[in-house]
Amino acid sequence: MPFTNFIQEIVIKNLTDLYSQQFSEKDFQINETKPEFEGDYTVVLFALVKTLKKSPEILGNELGTHLLKSYPDFFFGYNVIKGFLNLEITENQLTLFLQKNYNKDSFGKKPSNHKKVMVEYSSPNTNKPLHLGHLRNNFLGWSIAEILKANGYDVIKTSIVNDRGIHICKSMIAWQMFAEGATPELTHEKGDHLVGDYYVKFNDEYKKEVGQLIQAGKPKEEAEKEAPIMKKTQQMLLGWEQGNPEVRALWEKMNSWVYKGFDETYKRIGSDFDHTFYESNTYLLGKDFVQEGLQKNILFKKEDGSVWVDLSDKGLDEKLVLRGDGTSVYITQDIGLAKQKFNEYNLDKSIYVIGDEQLYHMKVLKEICRKLGMPFADDIFHLSYGMVELTTGKMKSREGTVVDADDLVDEMIATAEKHTEELGKVKDFTQEELKDLYDTLGLGAMKFYLLRVDPKKRMIFNPEESIDFHGFTGPFVQYTYARIQSILKKVESEHLAIDHIQLTRNTLLPLERQLIILLEKYVNAVADAATEMNPSIIANYVFNLAKLFNSFYAEHSVANAENDQKKELRVTLSVMTATVIKNGLQLLGIKVPDRM
RNA sequence: GGCCCCGUAGCUCAGUGGAUAGAGCAACAGCCUUCUAAGCUGUGGGUCACACGUUCGAAUCGUGUCGGGGUCACCA
């Protein structure tokens, strides 16, 4: 059990012993002691003062004395300053913790809790390549999946590919009109980029046609409706829905190009899925619930035959769930798919990693499911994340201000190569090893950069900052890991049996003590990251750990420690720091290099 | 306009009821014959948007104001 939780528990017990009153963990706080005070953990007494009618000083001293007496192995000393009871943990306890866990790969991982959760993320459209926003989504989804796994969940990663609709038809029409048979094989362009090019081409042509119509005297609205290319596209969508073989063949061909491109990108960035849903298979789902809802009077029909749900009692509006012509809208399919997910996979929780512009939509989905009496309604969780903006403003695909995912990955890896070459530390690496290293560092930098901020908040992507490999960055943490490997290599070559370290009593130096206490907090960081659905907690933790280790490293030598006991202690400390960095970064999808 | 989110150092962000508000970047000053300087140490830099309230205690909770963003489609 983590120290904080343990202290919480025994303080409750001690308070009952002393004052015959029951307290819960909400009645007081256990904090880390601020560095300017003596101690490791602090019990904040103010909240207890009132109920116990004792002064903070008396309460602190009574509690402190009692804690010390009942747990002499755990507490070494205490002091009371104002309303704060600062507790010092025994060196024995700290070294015991280190000894038990330093070599445990499973440190921070919980056993199965037999709960199943689905994480849906990435979910691209097939009319254009992935961009920076998708990267934040992918890294977030993948990381949350890993974090949940570490907390004992059985996780299924899914993606729903939006492979049908008017936007795909736009690319298809433009390709027919302008491509002259161009394929990824002929042009040597990645399939998703090729299809994306024709999506852009469509918009150019559309704008041109609308402009001409306006010039010919048509009102803007009419011109937008009547542009020939738009009409053709709508015709094509109709053809697709009716199953026109030519349209379907072209659709399948162009989508297959896109999938090949996506797969390449996913492979590079390390995204993967246990199952992929395609909207072309799911877009008809949900209609049966409309009938059911009508019978139960939860939904109502308007004169034109369209079906609606009234959510005004929940502060939301009326929402259409079925068009007058009987075709479904997006929310219809979402209801159907939500149910299918729970039924097919027997889920305890279903997480959707979707941008915060869809907060309203997801709220509506949940509310409709609730109204329809679906038992899983409350287990739908929208992990919403903020938009990625550029220093120059928002990304807009139509204005060509998007940062393409493939380009960005290339740039990050190239930056890793540049920095590595400048430093010249790995001249003996093979070509293969170098490539691996650049990938590890480039992707590490990018993932860390996008995951280090709270997902809920929108963030600004600063290109200069993103390629910085110093400070609060992935490579900084990776560097710390590599440094430790270097120490261990040296120590190993001295034939020290690091697998059989016997820690004996040492006098812990401040940095050694701080490191152990920080390492001990990893378990709580992993748990917090899961409850908050927030990988940035891990990123911050792992950075602080690396920073602290680097201070320790600069101050004290491991290989040339003052004596053998110190050496053993520090080797153990180094091994454990490396393990925690490795495990923590793994939760972010970031690899560690042995050398860099 | 209704609803939702955000406002902390020059910039990017931590900190959601506790002690004198912290990092990174940028700026400046130091540290490599000793385990990797992608590092370490130090200096300067804050009216936590503003006001009122709740509390022993507020960046954190409540109300209001100002500023920024999102959303309110028979689009996805």
Side-chain angles (χ1 to χ4, degrees), chain A residues 189-215:
Chain A
E189 194 180 359
K190 236 172 127 249
D192 49 341
H193 287 261
L194 182 79
V195 172
D197 288 348
Y198 289 99
Y199 183 68
V200 173
K201 192 103 186 153
F202 172 93
N203 282 310
D204 291 347
E205 184 64 19
Y206 177 55
K207 226 184 261 172
K208 212 165 81 192
E209 289 184 3
V210 170
Q212 282 167 356
L213 286 172
I214 290 174
Q215 217 150 46

Side-chain angles (χ1 to χ4, degrees), chain A residues 289-453:
Chain A
F289 302 112
V290 173
Q291 292 316 314
E292 201 186 309
L294 279 169
Q295 276 166 18
K296 289 188 191 163
N297 273 330
I298 295 159
L299 309 176
F300 64 93
K301 216 172 223 177
K302 289 194 176 173
E303 309 87 56
D304 63 352
S306 59
V307 182
W308 297 72
V309 62
D310 183 9
L311 299 172
S312 50
D313 56 327
K314 300 284 171 190
L316 306 168
D317 307 310
E318 284 185 357
K319 187 88 189 166
L320 177 98
V321 293
L322 203 67
R323 292 191 185 106
D325 61 6
T327 56
S328 42
V329 287
Y330 196 65
I331 197 97
T332 326
Q333 133 175 252
D334 266 357
I335 299 164
L337 184 56
K339 169 132 190 180
Q340 189 180 315
K341 282 177 173 179
F342 276 94
N343 284 358
E344 254 181 49
Y345 290 94
N346 197 18
L347 302 178
D348 293 284
K349 202 184 190 85
S350 183
I351 296 167
Y352 295 71
V353 183
I354 308 179
D356 61 7
E357 71 272 12
Q358 290 199 38
L359 272 163
Y360 180 78
H361 175 83
M362 291 304 291
K363 222 166 143 184
V364 168
L365 172 66
K366 240 180 124 144
E367 211 42 65
I368 295 179
C369 287
R370 203 173 279 148
K371 277 202 189 262
L372 288 170
M374 295 175 172
F376 55 80
D378 290 325
D379 300 318
I380 290 175
F381 182 85
H382 177 196
L383 172 48
S384 88
Y385 62 92
M387 211 180 294
V388 186
E389 284 175 29
L390 305 176
T391 40
T392 48
K394 266 182 219 165
M395 290 196 292
K396 284 182 181 146
S397 21
R398 281 181 199 162
E399 289 168 25
T401 53
V402 282
V403 175
D404 179 77
D406 293 314
D407 291 350
L408 186 59
V409 173
D410 287 343
E411 198 188 326
M412 295 302 289
I413 291 172
T415 305
E417 180 172 356
K418 201 186 103 207
H419 285 316
T420 306
E421 273 178 3
E422 276 169 11
L423 290 166
K425 293 181 193 175
V426 288
K427 292 202 167 120
D428 55 328
F429 271 35
T430 64
Q431 279 306 311
E432 192 90 347
E433 286 169 329
L434 282 174
K435 198 187 158 293
D436 265 6
L437 180 62
Y438 301 152
D439 280 4
T440 300
L441 295 178
L443 283 166
M446 189 168 67
K447 289 183 180 183
F448 197 92
Y449 184 80
L450 289 175
L451 288 174
R452 70 185 197 182
V453 300

Side-chain angles (χ1 to χ4, degrees), chain A residues 102-384:
Chain A
Y102 84 98
N103 217 358
K104 237 166 62 183
D105 246 355
S106 63
F107 181 67
K109 288 180 196 147
K110 294 207 182 87
S112 170
N113 61 12
H114 306 289
K115 286 196 174 151
K116 223 175 201 185
V117 43
M118 178 174 276
V119 180
E120 179 197 285
Y121 69 104
S122 194
S123 306
N125 290 3
T126 58
N127 63 326
K128 52 178 190 268
L130 304 178
H131 58 67
L132 180 53
H134 291 113
L135 290 179
R136 190 178 197 192
N137 181 306
N138 273 274
F139 298 157
L140 252 177
W142 201 90
S143 178
I144 281 298
E146 288 306 304
I147 288 166
L148 290 172
K149 280 185 205 168
N151 279 280
Y153 288 90
D154 185 5
V155 180
I156 304 152
K157 291 184 276 190
T158 62
S159 173
I160 174 151
V161 179
N162 183 7
D163 60 343
R164 50 141 243 132
I166 193 84
H167 44 287
I168 285 94
C169 292
K170 288 179 182 174
S171 291
M172 287 159 68
I173 285 287
W175 184 84
Q176 277 185 334
M177 289 170 73
F178 307 110
E180 293 169 1
T183 65
E185 290 76 32
L186 289 170
T187 59
H188 301 291
E189 194 180 359
K190 236 172 127 249
D192 49 341
H193 287 261
L194 182 79
V195 172
D197 288 348
Y198 289 99
Y199 183 68
V200 173
K201 192 103 186 153
F202 172 93
N203 282 310
D204 291 347
E205 184 64 19
Y206 177 55
K207 226 184 261 172
K208 212 165 81 192
E209 289 184 3
V210 170
Q212 282 167 356
L213 286 172
I214 290 174
Q215 217 150 46
K218 293 238 185 217
K220 189 174 174 232
E221 234 175 79
E222 210 171 302
E224 279 173 354
K225 266 187 206 154
E226 286 183 11
I229 193 167
M230 184 57 93
K231 287 199 136 174
K232 265 200 252 179
T233 306
Q234 270 152 358
Q235 202 61 37
M236 182 176 259
L237 181 60
L238 221 61
W240 186 91
E241 273 166 11
Q242 288 159 355
N244 178 314
E246 266 172 56
V247 175
R248 288 288 180 130
L250 177 62
W251 172 74
E252 265 171 35
K253 181 164 78 178
M254 288 180 70
N255 268 347
S256 77
W257 296 345
V258 173
Y259 296 147
K260 214 174 152 203
F262 282 174
D263 283 348
E264 224 175 278
T265 306
Y266 284 146
K267 204 171 166 195
R268 286 184 90 192
I269 65 173
S271 259
D272 57 355
F273 309 97
D274 301 308
H275 185 258
T276 305
F277 294 101
Y278 295 90
E279 280 204 11
S280 50
N281 295 327
T282 64
Y283 80 110
L284 295 174
L285 287 176
K287 286 190 181 184
D288 39 344
F289 302 112
V290 173
Q291 292 316 314
E292 201 186 309
L294 279 169
Q295 276 166 18
K296 289 188 191 163
N297 273 330
I298 295 159
L299 309 176
F300 64 93
K301 216 172 223 177
K302 289 194 176 173
E303 309 87 56
D304 63 352
S306 59
V307 182
W308 297 72
V309 62
D310 183 9
L311 299 172
S312 50
D313 56 327
K314 300 284 171 190
L316 306 168
D317 307 310
E318 284 185 357
K319 187 88 189 166
L320 177 98
V321 293
L322 203 67
R323 292 191 185 106
D325 61 6
T327 56
S328 42
V329 287
Y330 196 65
I331 197 97
T332 326
Q333 133 175 252
D334 266 357
I335 299 164
L337 184 56
K339 169 132 190 180
Q340 189 180 315
K341 282 177 173 179
F342 276 94
N343 284 358
E344 254 181 49
Y345 290 94
N346 197 18
L347 302 178
D348 293 284
K349 202 184 190 85
S350 183
I351 296 167
Y352 295 71
V353 183
I354 308 179
D356 61 7
E357 71 272 12
Q358 290 199 38
L359 272 163
Y360 180 78
H361 175 83
M362 291 304 291
K363 222 166 143 184
V364 168
L365 172 66
K366 240 180 124 144
E367 211 42 65
I368 295 179
C369 287
R370 203 173 279 148
K371 277 202 189 262
L372 288 170
M374 295 175 172
F376 55 80
D378 290 325
D379 300 318
I380 290 175
F381 182 85
H382 177 196
L383 172 48
S384 88

Side-chain angles (χ1 to χ4, degrees), chain A residues 423-524:
Chain A
L423 290 166
K425 293 181 193 175
V426 288
K427 292 202 167 120
D428 55 328
F429 271 35
T430 64
Q431 279 306 311
E432 192 90 347
E433 286 169 329
L434 282 174
K435 198 187 158 293
D436 265 6
L437 180 62
Y438 301 152
D439 280 4
T440 300
L441 295 178
L443 283 166
M446 189 168 67
K447 289 183 180 183
F448 197 92
Y449 184 80
L450 289 175
L451 288 174
R452 70 185 197 182
V453 300
D454 187 336
K456 288 189 287 294
K457 294 186 180 171
R458 68 200 153 89
M459 62 175 291
I460 291 172
F461 181 86
N462 182 334
E464 282 160 37
E465 206 177 81
S466 71
I467 56 165
D468 190 355
F469 283 14
H470 302 270
F472 188 22
T473 68
F476 170 86
V477 182
Q478 290 170 318
Y479 174 71
T480 310
Y481 180 88
R483 266 185 151 180
I484 295 174
Q485 297 316 304
S486 174
I487 298 173
L488 297 179
K489 208 171 286 167
K490 184 173 178 184
V491 174
E492 243 171 35
S493 69
E494 291 173 5
H495 304 294
L496 191 79
I498 59 165
D499 284 338
H500 302 95
I501 279 173
Q502 290 291 312
L503 285 181
T504 43
R505 260 185 71 86
N506 278 283
T507 311
L508 290 173
L509 295 167
L511 281 167
E512 294 166 340
R513 177 175 266 269
Q514 283 168 42
L515 249 183
I516 296 174
I517 285 182
L518 187 53
L519 285 166
E520 202 273 335
K521 287 192 176 121
Y522 177 65
V523 176
N524 279 345

